[in-house]
Amino acid sequence: MYEPAEDSYLLEEEIIAFCKDKNINKSLDMGTGSGVIAQTLTKFSAQVFAVDIDSKSLAKAKKNTEGKIVFLKSDLFKNVKEKDFDLIVFNPPYLPEDEHGKDKELAGGKEGVELTLEFLKQAKKHLSQEGQILFVASSLANLNLLDKKASKDFYLEKVRELPLFFEKLYVYKATLEQKVVDQVKE
Ligand SMILES: C[S@@+](CC[C@H](N)C(=O)[O-])C[C@H]1O[C@@H](n2cnc3c(N)ncnc32)[C@H](O)[C@@H]1O
């Protein structure tokens, strides 16, 4: 199980800032790990879903958390039937694969963004029209590729950053609504 670290707390900070004046009915924490983010979501959201591909993480997250959280074992949205989420968050494995190969908690593909791009593609079908996505990315990954591909479907914005010794972590916000507005204007 992934122990909460700077990236978890950066996303958590943004969630707290983002949710404080909003009425969130349904939210989803993708890649819940220890459940730390799902637990934070329970303070703001009437229904919280938490997903992980790893059974052991899910078992620990269930023990670590309290309140009504629906836990699902799923590879991204494969087993997620619910739609119309107001908020979907993901602190994904965001590092480029290296000589150590694939670590499911850390490596997000050769460029470090492939899993995130697949997540965004699938998330689109589960988001309410005004829904928002918040996710973490690293300067060590190919963020140009992320921007280029994700911007086809979403309006993307960096809303928070944290400089670390070797990298900068970012929280991105992705919205459909703004994209729709822009497309109407064009
Ligand atoms: C960087 S950890 C984040 C854990 C926790 N959300 C946090 O912020 O501390 C990434 C999590 O994503 C999960 N994960 C990796 N690939 C996944 C996939 N395809 N579908 C669902 N979860 C996945 C991992 O098992 C891990 O728990």
Side-chain angles (χ1 to χ4, degrees):
M1 185 206 73
Y2 186 81
E3 286 295 337
E6 293 99 331
D7 48 3
S8 322
Y9 299 123
L10 185 70
L11 180 58
E12 188 182 37
E13 267 174 38
E14 181 54 34
I15 290 170
I16 293 169
F18 177 80
C19 290
K20 70 174 191 296
D21 52 357
K22 292 194 181 58
N23 205 351
I24 311 259
N25 179 38
K26 206 156 67 170
S27 61
L28 182 143
D29 178 26
M30 182 57 72
T32 196
S34 65
V36 63
I37 302 287
Q39 187 66 78
T40 301
L41 287 172
T42 61
K43 294 182 192 148
F44 304 101
S45 174
Q47 297 176 69
V48 178
F49 290 72
V51 172
D52 209 288
I53 198 168
D54 177 49
S55 311
K56 285 187 185 154
S57 296
L58 283 172
K60 290 226 170 128
K62 278 182 202 167
K63 278 196 188 156
N64 287 344
T65 51
E66 46 190 39
K68 276 193 220 147
I69 301 174
V70 178
F71 289 97
L72 292 172
K73 183 173 184 212
S74 179
D75 180 355
L76 297 177
F77 288 90
K78 203 168 173 193
N79 301 327
V80 180
K81 303 275 175 287
E82 289 281 331
K83 293 204 187 312
D84 289 327
F85 285 98
D86 303 305
L87 178 63
I88 300 178
V89 302
F90 194 15
N91 177 15
Y94 51 67
L95 294 176
E97 281 170 26
D98 62 11
E99 68 274 17
H100 307 301
K102 270 192 192 173
D103 178 332
K104 275 212 155 43
E105 286 178 351
L106 300 175
K110 282 205 167 60
E111 304 290 332
V113 295
E114 289 86 340
L115 184 73
T116 298
L117 286 168
E118 183 56 33
F119 156 76
L120 288 170
K121 187 172 146 198
Q122 295 183 20
K124 213 177 144 189
K125 298 183 196 116
H126 294 266
L127 203 58
S128 67
Q129 189 53 43
E130 284 148 41
Q132 318 260 350
I133 298 176
L134 297 172
F135 64 93
V136 179
S138 161
S139 58
L140 297 176
N142 187 342
L143 297 184
N144 287 336
L145 182 67
L146 176 72
D147 282 342
K148 193 171 151 213
K149 293 216 165 167
S151 302
K152 287 183 187 152
D153 291 320
F154 290 98
Y155 178 78
L156 274 193
E157 204 184 337
K158 282 184 187 134
V159 288
R160 201 163 280 255
E161 62 180 63
L162 177 68
L164 296 172
F165 191 51
F166 284 111
E167 65 180 329
K168 218 178 219 182
L169 293 178
Y170 298 102
V171 177
Y172 278 81
K173 183 168 84 172
T175 8
L176 289 170
E177 187 84 323
Q178 185 64 44
K179 193 77 195 168
V180 172
V181 172
D182 286 351
Q183 276 164 359
V184 170
K185 276 193 212 148
E186 276 162 16

